[in-house]
């Protein structure tokens, strides 16, 4: 007698349970390859269970097949630490008291270190903490290119250059995934502004997509093996990125052979058919109740009606299971650890190495505490903490050392430190109003305006009475600052800081300005202020790191990951009117094409305030003996040169290699970063550095050939300390045109 379907299912369940109990089902055998385990598990899953693996069933959770020992897939933000625990069914906090984490510095700071090894250590720390919190996927790192200095989320990303961003991404992803935690690189793709991010349709030409906006993702997938990728909120060429056939099916999965899972941004899914067919593998929360998610009941019904192929569902399930198996989640993972001494040390190193010394006239820095007894610290950012805030990237830090605390613990024993607020950044109303001239202005609280003058006067008085002033200002994670969901409206420092800085430096010329901000700002006072540092956001150890640079315990070695324009209208995305930023009629057009960041400033010969790659040290470096050796295939080269620490302090230099095509047959940026290395040198020490270039370093993307072409001809190889401080140049000739990978 044939067993009925129900009986067969019962028998299967009983036998599986028995196997599960004995630990003998092949999918439970950790010694088998992941793919074998997945293929063994798949047929054991019911349709309901498979569907359960492709959509959310909690704000940060999906899946789980209890009867088969498959745990829920838990995700967490990302990227600067493991975010506080959220409620299962809302954005509210879960109210835990054991979900504090180490706050690592955010993306822009990590990029400013130009040190992929440090990025890997960030990933490692976050991985260890994620494991301790039972998270399988970190929604990190964020690697969208800085197209405009005004993007509210620049602080969370790796700057304007695809090569730099790619190297930092690869470091971070490898460090994280080495800890049994999956990376979810985000936001794929072209999420370069927060204004209208939920629906704006991004239009750009194919070369710009391939050469500027995709390479860091490509490196994260191909080189670092990222296990997941997050679709962006915006549309790309008319279709939402979370179910964009071109980006996901054709490029990511077709060309790059991505085997991991495409996870939607939270609420970024809009349509069942597209979600089913266009490459999305896991739908994370929509405003709809769980079962009504586009990839829940509606998808299941479509499969049952024969509208969507079952193979498509199985492909999605496979990809999500891959994460669970690859992270050891089915077998039991190593224990994690939180906020260890090592984690704190790494947070400090990243913050230190990210600090960029923009200007150091008059040798004010490093500050000799013996020379300055009365130090006035001025500015609200000196006492603010920044780890919480900015929205999804915020971290409930165990502790965060403010700039003032850092300075106090470094020199309080020898100096008399006074503090005055000087300015405050008041909460702005979210609505913008237009003044008579049609300019957008924010509404400030009137009590603030009344207080502001008093605060400023007190600060100027304190400056006058001090031997030295350290002004700590900048932005913060408030609406229209460095904040997710909104862009800034201009380059200006908020709260009249520019006026205050000018008054302070007039009262005391021995003024150091340290900016805590995740994006470029204008500096109309630059000529008057002798020393300026870009300290970014520094995480748990921010204040310690800043003090160690200010007082010379370490030489600064950060370099700008983005150009600082003098005025916003110099910036490429801001030359084309609203069509180019923030978009009009629902679309934004990247009319500047390839000319993003320094590619624009250098090609168009526009002087920036500070160029990409810029960053001074307390020592000086000399460059010599450049050689560019050709490999046998003549499509790659090895650049070597010697770097000497010519000063009297230890310091690290980032040697940058730019490639400049001589007479390209297609439009190309005048030069592009294609390699770099960071070297730490003792005074007087010389080191030979080697920077490999590949065929891709010379190539442009040829849409008609659907591939990369390194064109025959002459190239200059420019080696320097910033994009505008080229110290050595050599040449290289490609004998014949070749297609490269
Ligand atoms: C952000 C993502 C984040 C997600 C979950 C979204 O609003 O864009 O970066 O991972 O929320 O918090």
């Amino acid at each position: 007698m044939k067993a009925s379907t129900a009986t067969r299912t019962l028998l299967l369940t009983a036998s599986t349970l028995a196997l599960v109990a004995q630990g003998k089902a092949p999918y439970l055998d950790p010694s088998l390859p992941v793919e074998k385990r997945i293929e063994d598990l798949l047929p054991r899953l019911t349709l309901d269970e498979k569907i359960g693996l492709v959509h959310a069933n909690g704000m940060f959770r999906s899946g789980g097949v209890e009867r088969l020992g498959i745990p829920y897939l838990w995700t967490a933000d990302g990227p600067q630490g493991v975010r506080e625990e959220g409620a299962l069914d809302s954005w509210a906090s879960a109210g835990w008291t054991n979900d504090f984490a180490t706050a690592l510095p955010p993306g822009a700071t990590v990029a400013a270190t130009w040190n992929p090894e440090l990025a890997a250590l960030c990933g490692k720390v976050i991985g260890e903490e994620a494991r301790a919190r039972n998270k399988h996927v970190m929604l990190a790192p964020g690697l969208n290119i800085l197209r405009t200095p005004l993007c509210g989320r620049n602080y969370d990303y790796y700057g304007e250059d695809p090569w730099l961003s790619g190297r930092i991404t690869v470091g971070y992803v490898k460090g994280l995934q080495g800890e049994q935690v999956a990376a979810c690189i985000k936001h794929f793709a072209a999420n370069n502004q927060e204004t209208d991010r939920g629906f704006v349709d991004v239009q750009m030409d194919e070369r710009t997509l391939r050469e500027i906006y995709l390479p860091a993702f490509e490196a994260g997938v191909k080189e670092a093996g990222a296990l997941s990728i997050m679709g962006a909120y915006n549309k790309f060429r008319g279709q939402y990125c979370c179910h964009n056939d071109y980006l996901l099916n054709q490029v990511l999965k077709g060309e790059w052979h991505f085997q991991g899972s495409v996870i939607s941004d939270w609420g970024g899914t809009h349509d069942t058919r597209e979600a089913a067919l266009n490459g999305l593998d896991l739908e994370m929360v929509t405003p709809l109740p769980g079962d009504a998610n586009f990839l829940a009941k509606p998808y299941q019904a479509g499969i049952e009606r024969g509208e969507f192929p079952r193979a498509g569902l199985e492909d999605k399930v496979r990809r999500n299971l891959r994460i669970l198996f690859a992270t050891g989640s089915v077998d039991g993972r190593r224990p994690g650890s939180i906020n260890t001494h090592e984690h704190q040390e790494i947070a400090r190193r990243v913050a230190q190495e990210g600090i960029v010394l923009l200007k150091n006239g008059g040798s004010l820095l490093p500050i000799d505490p013996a020379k300055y007894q009365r130090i006035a610290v001025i500015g609200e950012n000196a006492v603010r903490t920044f780890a919480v805030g900015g929205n999804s990237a915020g971290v409930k830090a165990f502790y965060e050392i403010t700039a003032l605390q850092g300075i106090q613990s470094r020199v309080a024993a020898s100096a008399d430190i006074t503090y005055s607020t000087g300015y405050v950044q008041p909460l702005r109303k979210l609505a913008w109003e237009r003044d008579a001239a049609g300019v957008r202005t924010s509404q400030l609280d009137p009590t603030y305006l009344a207080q502001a003058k008093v605060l400023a006067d007190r600060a100027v008085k304190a400056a006058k009475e001090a031997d030295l002033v350290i002004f700590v200002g900048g932005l913060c994670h408030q609406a229209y600052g460095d904040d997710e969901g909104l862009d800034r409206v201009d380059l200006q420092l908020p709260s009249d800081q520019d006026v205050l800085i000018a008054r302070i430096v007039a009262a005391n010329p021995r003024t150091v300005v340290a900016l805590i901000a995740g994006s470029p700002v204008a500096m109309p006072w630059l000529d008057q202020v002798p020393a300026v540092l870009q300290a970014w956001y520094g995480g748990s150890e921010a204040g310690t790191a800043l003090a160690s640079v200010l007082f010379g315990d370490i030489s600064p070695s950060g370099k700008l990951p983005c150009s600082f324009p003098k005025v916003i209208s110099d910036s490429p995305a801001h030359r084309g009117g609203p069509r180019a930023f923030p978009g009009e009629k629902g679309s934004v057009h990247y009319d500047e094409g390839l000319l993003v960041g320094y590619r624009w400033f250098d090609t168009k010969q526009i002087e920036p305030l500070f160029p990409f790659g810029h960053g001074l040290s307390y020592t000086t470096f000399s460059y010599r003996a450049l050689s560019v050796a050709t490999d046998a295939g003549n499509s790659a080269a090895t650049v070597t040169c010697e770097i000497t620490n010519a000063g009297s302090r230890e310091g690290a230099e980032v040697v940058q290699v730019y490639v400049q095509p001589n007479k390209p047959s297609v439009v190309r940026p005048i030069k592009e970063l294609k390699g770099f290395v960071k070297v730490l040198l003792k005074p007087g020490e010389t080191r030979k550095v080697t920077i490999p270039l590949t065929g891709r370093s010379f190539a442009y993307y040829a849409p008609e050939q659907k591939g990369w072409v390194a064109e025959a001809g002459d190239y200059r190889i420019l080696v320097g300390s910033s994009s505008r401080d080229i110290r050595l140049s050599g040449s290289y000739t490609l004998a014949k045109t070749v297609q490269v990978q």
Side-chain angles (χ1 to χ4, degrees):
M1 206 179 88
K2 276 191 175 171
S4 69
T5 313
T7 321
R8 273 208 313 270
T9 310
L10 271 180
L11 286 175
L12 184 68
T13 310
S15 63
T16 308
L17 279 176
L19 287 173
V20 171
Q22 295 164 28
K24 282 193 182 148
Y27 76 88
L28 289 174
D29 182 352
S31 70
L32 291 179
V34 166
E35 296 307 311
K36 274 226 158 74
R37 300 176 72 185
I38 293 174
E39 293 317 312
D40 176 64
L41 176 57
L42 258 179
R44 299 172 194 269
L45 298 171
T46 65
L47 179 60
D48 276 355
E49 287 167 344
K50 286 177 190 162
I51 290 285
L53 289 168
V54 301
H55 70 87
N57 68 9
M59 286 304 284
F60 287 92
R61 185 182 82 173
S62 86
V65 186
E66 208 183 336
R67 72 179 181 92
L68 296 175
I70 304 301
Y72 288 120
L73 183 80
W74 283 98
T75 69
D77 283 304
Q80 41 177 325
V82 187
R83 187 181 181 180
E84 84 175 293
E85 204 63 26
L88 208 50
D89 56 358
S90 76
W91 286 105
S93 155
W96 288 16
T97 50
N98 59 348
D99 56 349
F100 290 92
T102 306
L104 278 304
T109 321
V110 185
T113 68
W114 289 58
N115 188 341
E117 283 166 28
L118 274 186
L121 288 175
C122 288
K124 180 176 172 340
V125 168
I126 292 170
E128 287 176 356
E129 302 207 354
R131 248 182 17 247
R133 290 264 306 280
N134 192 33
K135 305 300 179 196
H136 306 112
V137 181
M138 283 302 298
L139 306 172
L143 38 136
N144 295 102
I145 290 291
L146 185 155
R147 174 177 180 248
T148 159
L150 302 186
C151 173
R153 223 167 163 181
N154 285 336
Y155 80 94
D156 212 6
Y157 301 147
Y158 296 146
E160 72 188 23
D161 181 76
W163 178 256
L164 173 63
S165 176
R167 293 308 92 201
I168 300 290
T169 298
V170 169
Y172 186 113
V173 171
K174 284 190 171 167
L176 180 67
Q177 295 197 162
E179 293 302 322
Q180 299 184 299
V181 176
C184 181
I185 56 180
K186 65 188 187 186
H187 308 83
F188 191 66
N191 180 182
N192 310 102
Q193 65 186 55
E194 293 298 284
T195 309
D196 301 336
R197 69 170 175 170
F199 55 86
V200 72
D201 184 14
V202 179
Q203 300 287 342
M204 69 176 93
D205 65 86
E206 190 64 19
R207 277 191 62 200
T208 300
L209 176 72
R210 300 293 187 140
E211 295 182 32
I212 304 291
Y213 295 98
L214 291 193
F217 286 101
E218 190 180 356
V221 168
K222 289 186 181 169
E223 267 181 72
L227 286 160
S228 62
I229 191 165
M230 187 187 289
Y233 278 134
N234 50 284
K235 291 180 195 154
F236 177 72
R237 295 187 188 150
Q239 197 165 47
Y240 279 107
C241 288
C242 289
H243 27 82
N244 187 295
D245 180 61
Y246 183 64
L247 290 176
L248 303 178
N249 282 340
Q250 297 185 43
V251 177
L252 177 67
K253 293 180 177 178
E255 294 179 32
W256 300 351
H257 308 293
F258 175 65
Q259 297 301 313
S261 172
V262 175
I263 302 179
S264 74
D265 200 341
W266 269 228
T269 313
H270 300 268
D271 179 79
T272 296
R273 163 162 288 275
E274 289 192 356
L277 302 177
N278 290 357
L280 181 65
D281 300 308
L282 176 55
E283 174 187 0
M284 289 310 287
V285 287
T286 65
L288 305 168
D291 272 358
N293 278 189
F294 295 98
L295 284 186
K297 288 285 178 222
Y299 182 36
Q300 184 162 353
I303 289 177
E304 282 164 342
R305 285 196 302 271
E307 212 176 309
F308 309 126
R310 278 174 196 259
L313 171 62
E314 303 214 326
D315 180 57
K316 297 181 198 304
V317 171
R318 271 193 195 94
R319 291 168 179 276
N320 292 326
L321 288 177
R322 228 162 253 150
I323 298 181
L324 284 168
F325 283 114
T327 56
S329 311
V330 180
D331 313 319
R333 301 151 93 200
R334 306 195 294 272
S337 55
I338 297 192
N339 202 38
T340 61
H341 179 66
E342 191 199 1
H343 293 185
Q344 297 168 2
E345 283 296 295
I346 290 169
R348 181 185 49 74
R349 278 184 60 199
V350 179
Q352 275 176 333
E353 279 204 30
I355 293 171
V356 180
L357 178 58
L358 293 174
K359 175 177 178 184
N360 195 14
S363 305
L364 259 195
L365 293 176
I367 301 165
D368 177 355
K371 264 177 107 179
Y372 304 103
Q373 295 304 302
R374 291 169 307 167
I375 299 179
V377 177
I378 300 174
E380 193 199 32
N381 273 8
V383 294
R384 258 185 190 273
T385 54
F386 301 94
V388 173
N391 205 344
S392 60
V395 168
K396 191 164 130 187
F398 270 94
Y399 69 93
E400 190 179 335
I401 297 173
T402 65
L404 181 61
Q405 287 164 345
I407 293 166
Q408 277 168 336
S409 38
R410 177 63 179 75
V411 288
S414 60
D416 173 13
I417 296 168
T418 60
Y419 172 70
S420 28
T421 314
Y423 74 94
V424 289
Q425 297 196 52
L427 271 173
R428 290 169 170 205
K429 282 192 196 161
L430 289 194
W432 286 91
E433 299 199 346
R434 291 188 184 269
D435 67 13
V439 175
R440 293 201 296 175
T441 56
S442 67
Q443 296 302 295
L444 296 179
D445 177 352
T447 44
Y448 158 74
L449 292 172
Q451 273 177 12
K453 195 176 172 319
V454 180
L455 294 176
D457 288 348
R458 270 192 211 141
V460 173
K461 184 165 177 283
K464 230 178 238 155
E465 289 163 1
D467 300 327
L468 176 96
V469 180
I470 304 173
F471 177 84
V472 186
L475 303 171
C476 68
H477 298 309
Q478 277 186 0
Y480 305 106
D482 283 317
D483 194 27
E484 182 181 335
L486 296 163
D487 295 317
R488 288 154 67 210
V489 287
D490 52 39
L491 271 187
Q492 240 178 294
L493 284 171
S495 307
D496 284 335
Q497 289 179 62
D498 290 335
V499 177
L500 179 61
I501 295 170
R503 287 184 63 194
I504 288 171
V505 74
N508 189 336
R510 288 176 305 282
T511 293
V512 178
V513 170
L515 293 172
I516 298 180
S519 315
V521 297
M523 303 180 197
W525 34 260
L526 188 62
D527 286 348
Q528 285 78 54
V529 175
V532 185
L533 295 146
Q534 175 75 15
W536 312 101
Y537 299 107
S540 292
E541 289 283 334
T544 320
L546 179 61
S548 69
V549 169
L550 285 170
F551 295 96
D553 304 328
I554 185 170
S555 288
S557 65
K559 300 274 185 175
L560 292 180
C562 53
S563 312
F564 276 40
K566 285 184 176 158
V567 289
I568 193 62
S569 54
D570 280 351
S571 219
H574 296 269
R575 305 286 280 217
R579 170 192 151 87
F581 180 85
E584 60 188 6
K585 299 191 192 122
S587 298
V588 57
H589 299 261
Y590 289 17
D591 293 334
E592 71 285 359
L594 299 163
L595 301 185
V596 173
Y598 67 90
R599 287 167 168 78
W600 167 268
F601 288 97
D602 293 357
T603 306
K604 300 286 181 188
Q605 298 183 347
I606 298 170
E607 188 77 29
L609 187 64
F610 291 107
F612 173 79
H614 171 73
L616 305 171
S617 167
Y618 294 153
T619 185
T620 53
F621 300 96
S622 61
Y623 288 58
R624 61 179 294 279
L626 173 66
S627 99
V628 185
T630 310
D631 84 343
N634 199 23
S635 67
T638 303
V639 178
T640 54
C641 66
E642 285 177 14
I643 308 298
T644 302
N645 180 344
S648 53
R649 285 171 171 268
E650 187 179 72
E653 170 70 322
V654 178
V655 181
Q656 304 165 35
V657 176
Y658 296 84
V659 173
Q660 181 176 60
N662 190 7
K663 282 186 187 138
S665 67
V666 296
V667 173
R668 299 194 69 171
I670 193 161
K671 64 175 183 289
E672 298 185 274
L673 180 76
K674 296 297 175 184
F676 63 88
V677 66
K678 190 165 189 173
V679 272
L680 179 66
L681 297 172
K682 297 208 175 332
E685 189 183 349
T686 296
R687 186 96 49 86
K688 182 172 168 182
V689 299
T690 303
I691 298 161
L693 298 177
T694 65
R696 180 71 89 87
S697 314
F698 300 91
Y700 65 91
Y701 187 81
E704 61 297 341
Q705 299 182 41
K706 290 193 180 341
W708 295 86
V709 172
E711 193 178 21
D714 295 335
Y715 295 81
R716 302 293 295 160
I717 306 296
L718 308 171
V719 180
S721 179
S722 87
S723 59
R724 287 194 171 221
D725 182 5
I726 300 301
R727 306 288 184 86
L728 301 169
S729 76
S731 55
Y732 178 76
T733 304
L734 258 181
K736 58 177 196 300
T737 299
V738 280
Q739 273 231 2
V740 296
Q741 283 307 303

